[in-house]
Amino acid sequence: MKRISAGLLILFMSISAKSQVKVGFEVSFTEPQAHYAEMEMNISGLVKDYIDVKMPVWAPGSYLVREFAKSVEGFSAAAGGKTVPVEKIRKNTWRVYSAKAKSIKIRYRVYAFEVSVRTPFIDESHAFLSSTGIFMYPDGLLNLPSTVKVNPFKGWGKVSTGLEPVAGEKFTYTASNFDILFDSPIEVGNQDVFEFMASGVKHEVAMYGGGNYDKERLKVDMAKVVEQATAIYGENPNKHYTFIVHNFNTGGGGLEHLNSTVLGASRRGYTNEKTYKGFLELVAHEYHHLWNVKRLRPIALGPFDYDNENYTTNLWVAEGFTSYFENKLMFRAGFNTMAQTIQSMATAVAGVVNTPGAKIQTVAEASYDAWIKSYRPNENSSNTTISYYSKGEIVGMLMDLEIIQATKGAKNLDDVMKTMYAEYYKKLGRGYTDAEFKTMVEKISGISFTEFWKVYVNGTDPIDYTKYFGYAGVTVKNENEGKSVPYLGVASKITEGKVMISSVSRNSAAWDGGLNVNDRVLSVDEIYIDSALERNPAVTGKKVGESVVVRVLRDGIVKDFKIALKANPNIKLLATLKEDATEAELKVRNKWLK
């Protein structure tokens, strides 16, 4: 028998000791109308003088420190039926002085009353448990398995989650580690549940809040999205997948998880074709995350640090590319025509070009600064920042077209994503760096992307959209070109009948002339203003170069500003398919979308 070294023996003993540690949760609801979850956490086999338990400060996929511990109250612990001392030692950490007890029982309550896809919410009708805002973990032991038993409130009869059920135990689930538990939201109540099969995987849809949806139509259409997304990567890694859909009077947004997603929707929007299509776009976006970011991910995004920000410069790939593939999936699934798809992309290009912040912040910087800027916008954000969603979507489109052009229609961005998934998720089991992603793009395309990265990823150069659309035989026309339209450069909103300035665009007439956000507009050239200032005839009826006198109320003081109107700098793009496209252009076009 081979002798085991002392170091290995200690390691084996450590692993064995951890394998004896058990963590179980029980979730109950005694006052759901007051928005509380009653939590019980049982830890056994961790024999120490004290145990530190923590609550995450953020939810993966939503890059903002949300301080979930702020909603915790009544934290207490017991061992052997007796209360043991506890102490809060950090904003999200409680120390339990367990005195080497073999098992301890921790109790706490969580207040949950924020409606979003990333935060828990509880009322008399249901409980949505966004796991990072509900469950705690023993410090340093994220790899431990755990079980969760849900005790629905009286009258509630269903639980929907991506967690694995424990055989023979009703409403009891297991997670092999805390990363999986924190990536598995739970819906409890009387949600309407239906299923469909797609790509060999059972998909459950849990609808909360009612609505005018057609279940049979959704089964067919959602399956089309699933099939097209799976086709990109060649496999669907899940045994089952859960859509948790919250239907409100007005709703939106989504958050991806390992084998589930949470979507917000408008309960009466399913019979409106535009709104229905918007819901399917949301499905396409979040489902594509199943591969991009949940498995194929920037290296900083896992293993997660739940105490702090996890910085990466690659959210433009994780989120921006997902927005881009959302367009491709909608076309491939048959929901949009090719003309509609390219026009949507042209409009997205214009949206980026027309954002002043696109000239200030790179898409890599936008990714890194998500934690302090993206989720905390202010009145000046459009002047200083660009969304890694919108700019990333455009970078994905440009990169796709560049690859197709370079390979004469043989390869595209799909090939990059599929190969990256196989290499870094399946083979290496880790995330990728920015340099590694660039290397793969160059390998697939056969050309250098150094200049591309310099211009579009790490730079703020203008987008050469005419060149890239031209590869695919698409003509793009700026409908504002040659026009001289007067432009004040503000956005306004009507608040209790008052016209209030809500933003001022960088280098616009209003910017130069001194108008401020929160100014109440009283008149223009002594004409009373009671509608949106930017569309008011008192402004639009003027000529470029003419001046207007804008009277505002600022901090209780009436002020007049004489402002010389400038020409509107914004572009409006119209994309059309060339009827006389060359064979090479048609080859690019077909590889691009089909």
Side-chain angles (χ1 to χ4, degrees):
M1 187 172 85
K2 191 172 181 179
R3 181 176 294 175
I4 300 176
S5 70
L8 281 175
L9 184 59
I10 292 172
L11 176 63
F12 290 152
M13 290 174 65
S14 174
I15 294 173
S16 177
K18 285 186 178 180
S19 68
Q20 302 304 312
V21 179
K22 294 183 179 180
V23 179
F25 294 93
E26 194 162 337
V27 188
S28 303
F29 311 94
T30 59
E31 295 182 300
Q33 84 289 348
H35 321 298
Y36 279 96
E38 314 294 332
M39 302 299 299
E40 182 179 296
M41 180 182 186
N42 293 285
I43 305 174
S44 63
L46 195 58
V47 182
K48 298 174 64 179
D49 290 330
Y50 64 82
I51 299 169
D52 290 343
V53 294
K54 294 184 170 186
M55 176 162 270
V57 303
W58 69 289
S62 183
Y63 306 100
L64 177 68
V65 171
R66 297 185 182 277
E67 310 291 20
F68 293 120
K70 70 181 183 294
S71 298
V72 173
E73 62 183 72
F75 187 98
S76 65
K82 296 181 179 180
T83 300
V84 297
V86 299
E87 178 186 8
K88 193 170 186 182
I89 60 171
R90 277 195 63 190
K91 64 179 182 179
N92 67 323
T93 308
W94 289 259
R95 179 163 289 175
V96 178
Y97 291 95
S98 48
K100 293 186 170 62
K102 292 183 179 179
S103 63
I104 61 170
K105 186 185 298 291
I106 296 169
R107 288 191 171 95
Y108 59 95
R109 306 179 83 203
V110 177
Y111 180 73
F113 195 54
E114 181 181 345
V115 176
S116 82
V117 295
R118 54 193 170 261
T119 50
F121 179 90
I122 301 167
D123 67 9
E124 79 290 344
S125 65
H126 80 130
F128 169 59
L129 307 179
S130 181
S131 298
T132 48
I134 291 289
F135 299 105
M136 297 187 183
Y137 66 96
D139 187 25
L141 297 174
L142 285 168
N143 288 330
L144 283 179
S146 61
T147 59
V148 176
K149 181 180 180 181
V150 179
N151 297 316
F153 186 62
K154 60 183 179 182
W156 296 356
K158 297 177 183 178
V159 175
S160 300
T161 180
L163 288 169
E164 296 297 329
V166 175
E169 298 186 38
K170 191 174 184 180
F171 300 146
T172 304
Y173 306 88
T174 183
S176 57
N177 58 56
F178 276 90
D179 284 324
I180 289 178
L181 177 61
F182 290 148
D183 210 12
S184 302
I186 304 170
E187 177 70 22
V188 190
N190 293 311
Q191 58 272 22
D192 183 17
V193 178
F194 61 91
E195 298 176 353
F196 65 88
M197 290 293 295
S199 298
V201 175
K202 184 180 81 170
H203 292 74
E204 177 182 299
V205 182
M207 288 282 197
Y208 163 78
N212 58 0
Y213 53 86
D214 180 335
K215 284 190 276 192
E216 297 308 313
R217 184 184 185 190
L218 281 172
K219 288 177 186 179
V220 173
D221 290 346
M222 293 172 76
K224 289 178 181 177
V225 172
V226 169
E227 296 284 359
Q228 291 299 330
T230 303
I232 294 172
Y233 296 90
E235 68 170 24
N236 194 307
N238 289 323
K239 292 187 296 183
H240 55 85
Y241 190 93
T242 302
F243 292 93
I244 297 173
V245 185
H246 292 152
N247 293 297
F248 296 108
N249 187 43
T250 56
L255 187 64
E256 69 276 4
H257 296 282
L258 195 66
N259 68 339
S260 62
T261 186
V262 184
L263 309 177
S266 298
R267 66 169 62 94
R268 295 296 169 192
Y270 293 94
T271 54
N272 177 287
E273 283 306 303
K274 182 178 180 180
T275 309
Y276 180 70
K277 221 182 251 191
F279 175 75
L280 293 178
E281 288 170 355
L282 183 60
V283 169
H285 184 100
E286 300 305 334
Y287 202 83
H288 185 255
H289 273 315
L290 189 159
W291 296 271
N292 189 27
V293 95
K294 295 318 301 180
R295 289 168 176 83
L296 171 62
R297 56 176 175 78
I299 199 163
L301 299 184
F304 292 117
D305 176 356
Y306 292 103
D307 284 347
N308 302 288
E309 297 90 338
N310 293 227
Y311 291 102
T312 174
T313 57
N314 288 107
L315 293 181
W316 59 274
V317 177
E319 289 291 355
F321 279 23
T322 301
S323 293
Y324 173 59
F325 274 93
E326 168 191 322
N327 295 320
K328 299 180 82 169
L329 293 175
M330 289 294 288
F331 170 73
R332 291 171 179 174
F335 301 121
N336 289 331
T337 65
M338 184 175 287
Q340 288 172 328
T341 303
I342 65 163
Q343 181 56 54
S344 174
M345 293 183 185
T347 301
V349 170
V352 171
V353 172
N354 293 339
T355 302
K359 300 179 179 67
I360 305 297
Q361 186 185 52
T362 72
V363 74
E365 290 170 340
S367 299
Y368 198 84
D369 283 345
W371 297 92
I372 60 172
K373 293 186 178 183
S374 181
Y375 287 90
R376 291 192 178 106
N378 62 28
E379 68 282 348
N380 200 41
S381 291
S382 63
N383 290 320
T384 61
T385 65
I386 188 64
S387 165
Y388 52 79
Y389 282 86
S390 55
K391 180 68 179 288
E393 176 184 3
I394 302 310
V395 173
M397 182 191 76
L398 302 182
M399 187 180 293
D400 199 3
L401 287 165
E402 192 72 86
I403 294 168
I404 301 168
Q405 177 74 6
T407 61
K408 295 181 170 57
K411 300 287 184 180
N412 63 3
L413 191 58
D414 297 38
D415 295 294
V416 173
M417 301 302 284
K418 181 179 181 179
T419 308
M420 286 290 294
Y421 170 77
E423 179 71 14
Y424 289 94
Y425 171 68
K426 297 191 70 177
K427 181 181 176 181
L428 298 178
R430 66 169 176 83
Y432 59 83
T433 66
D434 184 75
E436 288 168 337
F437 194 90
K438 176 176 176 287
T439 297
M440 184 63 76
V441 173
E442 293 177 331
K443 179 180 178 181
I444 297 294
S445 66
I447 62 172
S448 171
F449 266 77
T450 297
E451 184 64 19
F452 185 97
W453 242 255
K454 178 183 176 183
V455 171
Y456 294 118
V457 177
N458 299 314
T460 58
D461 294 39
I463 297 169
D464 192 353
Y465 52 85
T466 302
K467 166 187 168 183
Y468 286 96
F469 277 112
Y471 287 160
V474 176
T475 301
V476 181
K477 178 185 176 183
N478 175 16
E479 293 188 293
N480 287 343
E481 188 173 0
K483 295 180 180 179
S484 185
V485 179
Y487 179 71
L488 189 58
V490 301
S492 61
K493 59 183 179 182
I494 311 298
T495 304
E496 296 179 349
K498 302 171 184 176
V499 180
M500 308 296 295
I501 294 178
S502 55
S503 69
V504 179
S505 294
R506 183 185 292 273
N507 299 327
S508 67
W511 174 283
D512 293 344
L515 292 181
N516 287 183
V517 169
N518 296 328
D519 283 348
R520 177 188 173 186
V521 182
L522 302 175
S523 65
V524 175
D525 288 344
E526 299 185 348
I527 300 173
Y528 175 70
I529 299 295
D530 61 359
S531 61
L533 180 61
E534 58 273 26
R535 294 188 296 274
N536 195 283
V539 174
T540 59
K542 296 285 186 177
K543 294 181 180 179
V544 173
E546 289 186 327
S547 294
V548 293
V549 176
V550 181
R551 176 166 292 176
V552 304
L553 183 65
R554 180 186 296 174
D555 191 30
I557 300 172
V558 175
K559 292 176 176 281
D560 288 340
F561 294 89
K562 186 176 181 180
I563 299 174
L565 296 174
K566 294 184 176 182
N568 189 343
N570 292 333
I571 65 172
K572 182 180 180 182
L573 298 182
L574 177 64
T576 55
L577 297 164
K578 285 171 57 178
E579 293 183 3
D580 59 347
T582 66
E583 184 178 341
E585 289 170 342
L586 289 174
K587 203 168 186 180
V588 171
R589 186 190 297 173
N590 288 331
K591 185 66 175 179
W592 179 24
L593 296 174
K594 290 186 177 178

